[in-house]
Amino acid sequence: MMVNQGSILIFTTFILAGLLTYFLARVSKMSGRIGGALTGLFSIIFVYLFFHIYSLPGVQNLMFLLIGLVYVSSLFLLVSKETPPIQYLLFSGAAGSTFAFINGLDFITAFIFLELSTVFVFLSIVSGDRKKGGFLYLLFNGTGGLLFLYLLYFIYMKTGRFDYSAIAFLKPDEKILALTIGFLTFAIKMGTMPFHIWQPYAYRDADNGITVFLSGAISKIGVFGAFLMVFLQGSSFRISGNVYAYLGVITAVLAGLYALLQEDAKRLLAYSSLSQLGYVVIGLGLANSLSISGAILHAVSHGIFESLLFLVVGAVYIRTKTTDLNKLGGLITYMPISFIALLFGIIATSGIPPTIGFPSKWMLYHALVINGDPVLLSLTFLASILAFLYSFRLVYSIFLGPYTLKEKVGEAPFPALAGMVFFLLPLLILGLFPGLVLKFIELPVVRFGLPDFSFTPATLKTPLATVNFLTVGVVFIAWFVVAILVYAFAGRSRWLPVKNNYTAAEAIEDERILHYTGDFYRFIRRDMNFLLRHSIQRFYRRLFNLFGVIGDGISRIYTGDVRTYVYFILLFILIVLFKIKGGFPCLW
Amino acid sequence: MKKIFGLIIIVLFAYVFLSFLLVVPFGRKPGHVANYYLDTEPEKLGGKNVVTSVVLIYRGLDTLGEVTVLFLAALGVSALLTGMKRDRKKIRKPSLIVSAGTRYLFPMIVLFGSYIFVHGHLTPGGGFPGGVVIATAFLLGYVALEGIGENIKMFHITEGTAGLLYVITGILGIALAGTFLENFLPLGRFGSVFSAGIMPVLYVFIGLKVGTEMAGLLHSMKGGEHG
Amino acid sequence: MVSPTLLLASLLSFAFLSGLIGIRFKRGVAYILPIVFAVTLGLLIYMSRGVLDGGFLQGFTGGERPPYSINLVLTPFSLLILFLVHTLSFLLSIHLLIRGVPEPATKFVPLFILNILGVSSIILTGDLFNLFVFLEILSISSVSLIGFMRDGKGLEGGLKYLIVGGVGSSLYLLAVIILYKYTGTLNMADVGMRIGEVPEGMRRFVMLLIIAGLGVEAEIFPFNMWVPDAYQGADTRVTTLLASITSKAGMFGLVRVLFTVLGAGMNILLYLGVITFVISELMALKTKNIKRVLAYSSMGQAGLAMIAFGINTAASIAAGMLLMINHAVSKFVMFGSIEVLTDRFGLDDIKGIGLKSPVPAWSFLLATLSLLGFPFFIGFWVKLNLIFSLKPYLLVPVLLIFAVEIAYYTRILWTMFSGEAKMGKTLAGSSAVLLIGVVIVIALAFVYPYILNLSVKGTSELLFRGLYIYRVLGGGL
């Protein structure tokens, strides 16, 4: 059992950085902030320099870059607020294990750091004020780790090796089993639909900075692992792939529906993140070169825009101390830059150019159309519509409408703003030049058949159509500018005081705020109720109860009457003797 | 129902048990270890009573263990009885005949017990029976006399010291002869009281310890003060 | 002249001495505890030099060589477990000093020392009947400790243990008698050498008797029924001792006798281990009393260890030894924390106690993570080693039950860390010792290769009976 030395080094670096920050933060808050930023940046630069990133294979390299991006931004959010010292340490541990996981090239390294990330995230959530999410996280991801352990054992027993390539030596049916188990593990890590229970709670209860990292980076462990499973199978995966595609699309739709009904921004984002990861799973499940490329591209864009959204919500929380959508509103006056960041985030979520969300969804749709399953296609479209709806809810409830808080608030702190910019740049640049990302996965996807598409940095040619993202993006930006100009100079809107609204001659009190964010999508709750009853949670509870009832039944043996205890000992001897001898011995 | 079930199990078990035990050659010739003891003991250890040398030397650790078990039992009983409420029945005073008789009998029993454990290496008996005999003297005392054996502290001191001395004798074996509980005293004339090396010494300790322990046990069952 | 007998002798003299000291100094007698275990630890370290390289250190008694006299054998395996036992006893005694020794201390201290004496001797002894004697010491002292607080539950648990343990040890004694009758000797190595003289059917009967007899102490099904009652009934300080330290002796004794003397019965051990593991963990799921849950979990871990030993390969036996270490240390911390946190143990009573006093609660949480086998703790390596030594058909049930374990521990932790704390016992004294336990669990994970190396050395004496027999009868090395 040789653990990847590079991964150990990475992890140690991050742990040491975390320890240093922890002690600095114990000394004073300021030194903690500065030290946290410096040690964090140092460790990531160290990792990048010494692990000469370009030597890593494509997808690994891509994930490395993406996670680095998310790491820095989450760090910025962490240092721009009052973060308990221990969170720095645990955050560093989680980040280190994520990097180490991506860096590893064998199952044993993967398993160790998978479990380590679980431990650190669990400890981080549990050391916060709200803990429920942490325990759910431990329950699901710990069980997921056991599944992975099964995979580990299985592959080792069949091939005697631990490295990823060992999977190539399996027989086809064994491959399918190994893949299924591995995929389930990473589906739990991503929070795909039947295993999603932990995710909204964990994202809600984690520290805001950690949430950014959770959604942007830790979920990428799941994406990378799932990709790995699909990749290692190669084209033989296509047999069972459609099942996963359906799993993905169900996740996308249902999570989108759930997202509509949330009253808490972080929970809404958690479901939205889940829904977007559903797309990734669809892409992986279709298992052709176009869909896989689309899935990876979407994973990258998800990492960027979802983290950006969490970052903005975290910044809003720093100023307003709440993430309750019913309490927020009208923040655009005080936090314009955050508003713009969030706006671009939701544009990307909805898949509109010129952001990175557009090319990834474009590729996925093309793959779906080529695949030709009408149900999959239409459900995916439905999920996109839902994405529009909940994105709108988010931006409206937080930034638009009347201002609802008592006192004025300031713009987000500087490091948080820096983090937003940090995300906005790739969000736009990669939206115009998605080929930069596709370059990384050009080679790996050949494993799924020769690509039926070609690309340059700004263009993409699929069997269906050719598109130049730069042109599309520029046209969109131009229209956007025109729209703003029209709005600014020819707009006929005017500001009204809150009470000057349509009251239909009804006298209203001061306290009542006329804000339409409360229970925004009531009609959906009403009409979709049959889908949204928490049947999955009930399933898990039933499962728990089933095992519990079995246990209760067995514990009847433990009667508390000592006579029966003695009888059991004697009975044991009798039964085993009977079993061994095939009958009772004769006396003489 | 449960009782019938239990009965069936016990009957079945007894049957199986018996069918196995009847096969075992109990009471036949001694094994090789026993033969070795019978052959070499007199020259090596000089005890007239081979059983004693087996008990005290060859299997001395077991004996030490048994002494500890007794110590533990006394300790456990007194720990469990501490602070327990008992309704003290009125104690009827013993009659004159009993108490007068006991007064004469008491030293005799103690003397007899001491005789048994001092001659443990020569005759059947030894520390355990001797100690128990001494304890019966105290039992008689508790029943028939007042004010005898009430000083529980003395019991504790005696038993603790005896136990310590026992262990120290064993350790002296390591220091002087090489192994734990090995004989390091001269063997003396075969068959006399002062012979067989450390065996009589150990039996004196055991006798004292067992006697005081049993007496202490009786004392705490009687409901006296606890040390 | 260094000899393992010194360990026994010093424990015994301290036990008698504490009785003497207790007459004069009723309170101060507790301070003898850490001294005792410091001394024994020192002795162990002193004796460990040759043993760490894989040699045996023998202690003889009565001036005779093994088959003719009782011998004590310090092997790598026994050194490992002894070191564990005495380290934990040392920690526990300091913890007890801080938290307060159960009263009357004059009785508790010798009982504690004698309990450890029983454990140490069972681990050290090379003689079948001697094992029985020390088994008696172990069980009588345990019974007295379980009922030490003289409340109904404790006395009930103690009584149950007394009866079941009595049946068990008489079965064991019967087995020893039969073996003696056939082989004419009581020494483990000698009996092991002459085991062929026992007829086949009788050997199986003896094996069953021994499994049943020692199984009571080793906490395997169906001999472990006293465990939940006793652990729940006893004072939590005592339960800490029983669960983390005392229970290791039974496992060791069972393994030693089956592997070295009989050279048979591993399959039965394996099946019993699986049954124990599965049903104990399932029973823990809906149990409402936290001490009972931890007791079920202890039984489950004992079952897991028996699975490991029953598979009977070098890797699995080493994993079993590691498992014993992990379980002992984490259960020490867990029961210790529970004792500090609360004096009522229903699930409703422990609600929110984690928020009230963070240090013990977090110790509990971290120890739980180790027990569940998460990395950064020794438990992870244990789990990894164990899983890889399993047979394929065992994998799915074991992993499934691991998931069950995660589920009920999550439930307990969740209960501890949520909701409003009820008024309960206030925290007296510090719980720093528990933190030391957590540090040990973490530190062990970092010196894991060394520990693994040591336990692999310990496996050879179990795997190759001839080696043990040759070394013991040949005079020891």
Side-chain angles (χ1 to χ4, degrees):
Chain A
M1 285 190 218
M2 278 307 291
V3 184
N4 188 315
Q5 297 297 315
S7 294
I8 292 179
L9 187 60
I10 293 175
F11 182 70
T12 319
T13 313
F14 274 91
I15 282 288
L16 289 179
L19 273 176
L20 187 63
T21 319
Y22 172 73
F23 287 118
L24 284 175
R26 289 301 292 265
V27 174
S28 81
K29 277 174 192 159
M30 210 53 213
S31 69
R33 287 178 178 188
I34 297 168
L38 288 183
T39 51
L41 287 176
F42 168 76
S43 48
I44 193 139
I45 290 167
F46 172 80
V47 166
Y48 272 67
L49 284 184
F50 282 81
F51 287 88
H52 39 85
I53 47 174
Y54 286 99
S55 70
L56 284 172
V59 178
Q60 251 173 320
N61 197 354
L62 188 64
M63 289 297 158
F64 230 87
L65 287 170
L66 175 66
I67 293 171
L69 186 70
V70 178
Y71 171 76
V72 174
S73 315
S74 340
L75 193 70
F76 280 173
L77 186 59
L78 274 181
V79 297
S80 60
K81 65 191 187 61
E82 305 257 320
T83 304
I86 190 74
Q87 293 288 3
Y88 284 115
L89 177 58
L90 297 171
F91 170 66
S92 261
S97 39
T98 310
F99 277 112
F101 173 85
I102 301 287
N103 182 60
L105 287 166
D106 57 297
F107 284 105
I108 203 97
T109 311
F111 178 59
I112 291 174
F113 291 105
L114 187 73
E115 294 279 82
L116 266 175
S117 73
T118 305
V119 168
F120 279 108
V121 172
F122 163 68
L123 288 178
S124 157
I125 301 178
V126 168
S127 53
D129 290 335
R130 296 166 99 176
K131 299 177 176 9
K132 184 179 181 185
F135 294 114
L136 281 174
Y137 183 86
L138 182 73
L139 184 57
F140 277 86
N141 288 283
T143 314
L146 294 178
L147 279 175
F148 196 74
L149 196 53
Y150 181 89
L151 178 71
L152 209 62
Y153 179 89
F154 185 77
I155 288 174
Y156 185 70
M157 283 302 135
K158 295 288 177 195
T159 66
R161 312 166 45 168
F162 280 123
D163 51 329
Y164 285 151
S165 51
I167 219 165
F169 295 93
L170 295 175
K171 296 193 196 83
D173 52 333
E174 292 170 352
K175 266 188 187 174
I176 290 174
L177 177 68
L179 165 84
T180 314
I181 301 288
F183 204 92
L184 284 179
T185 312
F186 293 112
I188 292 176
K189 205 78 190 174
M190 279 191 274
T192 316
M193 209 46 174
F195 318 112
H196 68 285
I197 308 287
W198 61 271
Q199 204 171 34
Y201 293 105
Y203 283 16
R204 181 196 68 187
D205 297 347
D207 185 285
N208 288 328
I210 308 282
T211 313
V212 174
F213 195 74
L214 258 179
S215 147
I218 302 268
S219 72
K220 294 302 165 292
I221 290 184
V223 171
F224 179 71
F227 167 77
L228 202 65
M229 289 300 130
V230 177
F231 176 77
L232 292 171
Q233 302 288 309
S235 47
S236 69
F237 172 62
R238 219 164 288 166
I239 312 156
S240 52
N242 255 357
V243 179
Y244 298 109
Y246 271 97
L247 200 70
V249 82
I250 291 170
T251 307
V253 172
L254 279 184
L257 272 177
Y258 281 129
L260 290 179
L261 305 176
Q262 300 308 316
E263 305 297 325
D264 181 284
K266 283 176 84 181
R267 273 181 72 100
L268 190 153
L269 283 179
Y271 278 115
S272 117
S273 170
L274 198 55
S275 174
Q276 298 299 324
L277 285 171
Y279 286 94
V280 178
V281 177
I282 297 172
L284 290 177
L286 292 183
N288 55 57
S289 48
L290 182 62
S291 77
I292 299 262
S293 309
I296 297 295
L297 187 58
H298 196 67
V300 172
S301 68
H302 167 265
I304 294 172
F305 66 70
E306 211 65 56
S307 314
L308 175 62
L309 293 176
F310 271 113
L311 190 62
V312 174
V313 169
V316 167
Y317 181 82
I318 293 176
R319 290 305 181 211
T320 61
K321 297 295 167 220
T322 180
T323 54
D324 190 340
L325 290 175
N326 295 337
K327 290 185 184 149
L328 292 166
L331 279 174
I332 186 172
T333 337
Y334 302 107
M335 303 177 80
I337 303 177
S338 305
F339 167 71
I340 290 171
L342 188 93
L343 190 63
F344 275 101
I346 65 163
I347 288 175
T349 314
S350 318
I352 301 172
T355 59
I356 190 175
F358 173 62
S360 59
K361 278 196 178 169
W362 176 267
M363 286 181 85
L364 280 173
Y365 277 123
H366 277 223
L368 278 167
V369 170
I370 292 170
N371 183 53
D373 187 335
V375 182
L376 267 182
L377 186 63
S378 45
L379 281 179
T380 316
F381 269 119
L382 177 61
S384 299
I385 297 168
L386 292 174
F388 276 116
L389 292 177
Y390 63 70
S391 303
F392 178 67
R393 164 99 205 256
L394 191 69
V395 72
Y396 182 82
S397 297
I398 296 180
F399 285 103
L400 305 178
Y403 186 65
T404 52
L405 294 170
K406 292 273 183 291
E407 66 273 9
K408 293 175 180 180
V409 295
E411 180 55 88
F414 173 71
L417 285 181
M420 288 175 203
V421 174
F422 213 65
F423 276 133
L424 274 178
L425 290 178
L427 187 84
L428 292 171
I429 293 171
L430 295 180
L432 299 177
F433 304 102
L436 296 178
V437 177
L438 291 176
K439 195 95 185 129
F440 284 99
I441 41 182
E442 196 175 14
L443 277 177
V445 293
V446 175
R447 214 177 137 75
F448 302 94
L450 278 178
D452 47 3
F453 65 98
S454 58
F455 61 88
T456 64
T459 62
L460 176 75
K461 180 173 179 296
T462 65
L464 295 179
T466 308
V467 64
N468 187 327
F469 292 108
L470 187 59
T471 323
V472 174
V474 168
V475 170
F476 257 80
I477 292 172
W479 272 111
F480 195 64
V481 171
V482 169
I484 286 178
L485 287 178
V486 169
Y487 176 79
F489 295 108
R492 288 163 58 85
S493 66
R494 61 199 164 98
W495 290 98
L496 292 174
V498 169
K499 283 189 188 172
N500 193 356
N501 213 323
Y502 65 97
T503 55
E506 183 188 346
I508 49 171
E509 311 86 44
D510 269 348
E511 298 84 54
R512 191 161 148 218
I513 293 163
L514 287 173
H515 195 211
Y516 296 96
T517 54
D519 212 358
F520 202 72
Y521 289 114
R522 189 181 297 130
F523 61 100
I524 292 179
R525 187 192 296 282
R526 198 181 54 218
D527 295 342
M528 295 288 167
N529 204 13
F530 67 98
L531 268 179
L532 302 175
R533 266 177 273 146
H534 288 259
S535 49
I536 298 172
Q537 256 178 16
R538 200 178 298 159
F539 165 75
Y540 285 114
R541 207 162 290 144
R542 289 227 173 109
L543 196 67
F544 180 85
N545 279 339
L546 175 71
F547 279 102
V549 165
I550 295 174
D552 267 5
I554 296 170
S555 69
R556 295 270 166 87
I557 303 173
Y558 288 61
T559 49
D561 180 1
V562 72
R563 270 176 304 172
T564 48
Y565 297 178
V566 176
Y567 295 158
F568 268 107
I569 297 179
L570 302 184
L571 199 61
F572 162 79
I573 297 179
L574 285 177
I575 289 175
V576 179
L577 261 185
F578 193 80
K579 186 101 193 349
I580 290 175
K581 307 207 73 147
F584 284 122
C586 172
L587 252 182
W588 283 276
Chain B
M1 184 60 213
K2 204 185 261 176
K3 278 178 185 166
I4 297 168
F5 180 68
L7 190 71
I8 294 170
I9 288 179
I10 288 171
V11 167
L12 267 178
F13 191 73
Y15 171 78
V16 171
F17 220 66
L18 213 60
S19 65
F20 273 101
L21 289 191
L22 287 178
V23 185
V24 181
F26 285 118
R28 312 270 166 76
K29 60 178 176 28
H32 70 285
V33 175
N35 280 327
Y36 174 84
Y37 293 154
L38 291 174
D39 294 343
T40 60
E41 191 274 340
E43 304 93 81
K44 250 190 156 169
L45 296 174
K48 201 177 171 193
N49 184 352
V50 183
V51 175
T52 306
S53 3
V54 172
V55 167
L56 281 184
I57 306 294
Y58 296 125
R59 306 205 62 84
L61 208 57
D62 285 347
T63 310
L64 187 57
E66 290 302 345
V67 170
T68 315
V69 169
L70 204 60
F71 174 70
L72 203 52
L75 198 66
V77 167
S78 76
L80 295 186
L81 291 182
T82 307
M84 284 234 164
K85 277 192 181 163
R86 271 156 296 179
D87 31 324
R88 287 210 166 188
K89 285 183 190 134
K90 227 180 169 205
I91 301 168
R92 198 149 51 94
K93 277 219 161 190
S95 71
L96 183 65
I97 298 171
V98 174
S99 57
T102 306
R103 199 161 290 144
Y104 291 106
L105 220 48
F106 185 84
M108 304 296 262
I109 299 177
V110 172
L111 185 66
F112 179 56
S114 316
Y115 174 83
I116 290 181
F117 65 67
V118 168
H119 287 77
H121 58 299
L122 302 175
T123 57
F128 284 94
V132 174
V133 168
I134 291 177
T136 55
F138 281 99
L139 177 59
L140 199 60
Y142 289 143
V143 174
L145 293 174
E146 278 182 3
I148 272 209
E150 290 297 336
N151 192 353
I152 192 75
K153 271 188 188 173
M154 268 327 283
F155 285 160
H156 286 320
I157 290 173
T158 317
E159 75 176 358
T161 317
L164 259 184
L165 287 174
Y166 190 173
V167 180
I168 287 170
T169 317
I171 296 176
L172 278 179
I174 297 184
L176 300 176
T179 65
F180 193 68
L181 280 174
E182 188 171 351
N183 184 26
F184 53 86
L185 292 177
L187 290 182
R189 191 165 58 81
F190 185 75
S192 71
V193 174
F194 293 102
S195 69
I198 60 171
M199 276 192 251
V201 183
L202 290 182
Y203 257 162
V204 169
F205 296 149
I206 294 176
L208 283 175
K209 192 161 167 58
V210 171
T212 46
E213 254 157 21
M214 296 296 277
L217 199 64
L218 293 171
H219 184 265
S220 51
M221 282 180 164
K222 188 180 89 134
E225 285 292 302
H226 296 282
Chain C
M1 174 79 190
V2 56
S3 154
T5 39
L6 277 179
L7 194 74
L8 265 64
S10 52
L11 279 170
L12 257 180
S13 2
F14 275 119
F16 293 140
L17 201 64
S18 66
L20 281 179
I21 294 174
I23 296 170
R24 185 74 186 82
F25 307 100
K26 282 202 165 54
R27 300 254 162 217
V29 68
Y31 288 93
I32 205 175
L33 278 177
I35 300 172
V36 177
F37 297 116
V39 168
T40 51
L41 267 179
L43 271 174
L44 268 179
I45 292 169
Y46 185 67
M47 286 189 290
S48 67
R49 270 182 300 172
V51 182
L52 283 181
D53 303 329
F56 287 17
L57 182 70
Q58 280 212 68
F60 307 115
T61 61
E64 291 286 351
R65 292 267 138 172
Y68 306 116
S69 169
I70 296 171
N71 61 328
L72 302 178
V73 196
L74 189 68
T75 63
F77 182 21
S78 46
L79 180 74
L80 195 70
I81 304 298
L82 269 184
F83 205 75
L84 174 76
V85 163
H86 285 266
T87 314
L88 284 181
S89 309
F90 182 68
L91 287 181
L92 182 60
S93 57
I94 291 179
H95 186 59
L96 284 180
L97 275 188
I98 298 171
R99 302 280 313 149
V101 178
E103 290 299 329
T106 46
K107 313 280 185 214
F108 182 83
V109 172
L111 281 175
F112 185 7
I113 297 176
L114 287 177
N115 196 286
I116 302 301
L117 169 79
V119 174
S120 314
S121 316
I122 287 175
I123 292 170
L124 275 174
T125 188
D127 190 282
L128 284 172
F129 185 76
N130 198 239
L131 186 88
F132 170 74
V133 171
F134 285 106
L135 206 62
E136 291 288 292
I137 291 185
L138 183 79
S139 63
I140 294 176
S141 59
S142 299
V143 168
S144 317
L145 285 172
I146 293 170
F148 200 78
M149 299 317 272
R150 299 171 292 280
D151 54 342
K153 280 266 175 196
L155 287 174
E156 187 193 325
L159 189 68
K160 281 175 184 169
Y161 178 46
L162 188 66
I163 293 171
V164 178
V167 172
S169 53
S170 52
L171 291 178
Y172 175 76
L173 184 60
L174 187 75
V176 173
I177 291 170
I178 294 176
L179 281 179
Y180 178 69
K181 228 27 240 180
Y182 276 108
T183 61
T185 174
L186 286 170
N187 185 279
M188 284 185 189
D190 207 20
V191 174
M193 195 167 72
R194 292 159 198 271
I195 194 73
E197 293 168 18
V198 186
E200 175 70 24
M202 192 61 79
R203 222 185 300 166
R204 285 190 177 147
F205 184 56
V206 166
M207 176 187 79
L208 282 182
L209 290 180
I210 283 178
I211 289 181
L214 291 174
V216 173
E217 315 291 332
E219 301 182 357
I220 50 180
F221 184 82
F223 322 112
N224 59 7
M225 311 213 160
W226 58 273
V227 176
D229 298 336
Y231 281 16
Q232 189 186 347
D235 184 80
T236 318
R237 287 164 285 190
V238 174
T239 316
T240 314
L241 172 71
L242 292 180
S244 65
I245 301 170
T246 311
S247 64
K248 299 297 161 290
M251 287 184 214
F252 187 99
L254 183 58
V255 167
R256 169 67 83 217
V257 175
L258 283 188
F259 277 75
T260 305
V261 180
L262 297 177
M266 286 69 158
N267 272 334
I268 295 184
L269 207 59
L270 176 63
Y271 300 143
L272 284 182
V274 173
I275 297 173
T276 312
F277 183 52
V278 172
I279 70 169
S280 312
E281 304 283 15
L282 280 179
M283 280 191 295
L285 261 179
K286 292 201 105 175
T287 306
K288 290 271 190 294
N289 183 303
I290 186 168
K291 270 169 87 176
R292 214 174 163 83
V293 170
L294 292 187
Y296 284 139
S297 147
S298 291
M299 284 150 53
Q301 294 288 320
L304 203 55
M306 289 306 133
I307 292 176
F309 284 111
I311 291 171
N312 196 13
T313 60
S316 74
I317 293 175
M321 292 176 192
L322 289 176
L323 189 75
M324 281 163 88
I325 297 176
N326 179 36
H327 175 243
V329 185
S330 13
K331 269 288 149 60
F332 168 74
V333 177
M334 287 160 83
F335 271 115
S337 322
I338 289 295
E339 194 269 320
V340 175
L341 284 170
T342 178
D343 53 359
R344 281 171 305 170
F345 307 101
L347 269 191
D348 293 335
D349 301 320
I350 63 167
K351 200 167 255 174
I353 53 174
L355 307 171
K356 198 177 63 173
S357 34
V359 174
W362 277 85
S363 310
F364 184 91
L365 188 141
L366 294 175
T368 309
L369 286 184
S370 181
L371 196 73
L372 292 179
F374 281 101
F376 227 68
F377 306 97
I378 181 69
F380 176 73
W381 299 112
V382 176
K383 186 167 81 173
L384 213 56
N385 269 298
L386 188 87
I387 291 292
F388 275 101
S389 61
L390 282 183
K391 292 185 174 138
Y393 65 89
L394 282 175
L395 187 65
V396 173
V398 167
L399 285 179
L400 194 67
I401 299 301
F402 269 149
V404 168
E405 210 178 10
I406 293 180
Y408 72 76
Y409 270 120
T410 312
R411 177 160 163 261
I412 283 183
L413 289 174
W414 190 343
T415 317
M416 279 175 67
F417 283 93
S418 65
E420 282 292 302
K422 286 186 181 173
M423 289 301 287
K425 190 168 67 171
T426 48
L427 192 69
S430 111
S431 41
V433 177
L434 301 174
L435 279 183
I436 295 178
V438 172
V439 169
I440 289 178
V441 181
I442 294 176
L444 281 180
F446 286 94
V447 296
Y448 152 75
Y450 182 73
I451 305 282
L452 183 68
N453 198 7
L454 198 63
S455 32
V456 166
K457 265 177 199 148
T459 57
S460 58
E461 69 187 74
L462 295 180
L463 279 175
F464 311 110
R465 299 168 58 222
L467 182 79
Y468 178 91
I469 293 170
Y470 171 76
R471 283 198 173 166
V472 168
L473 293 183
L477 292 163

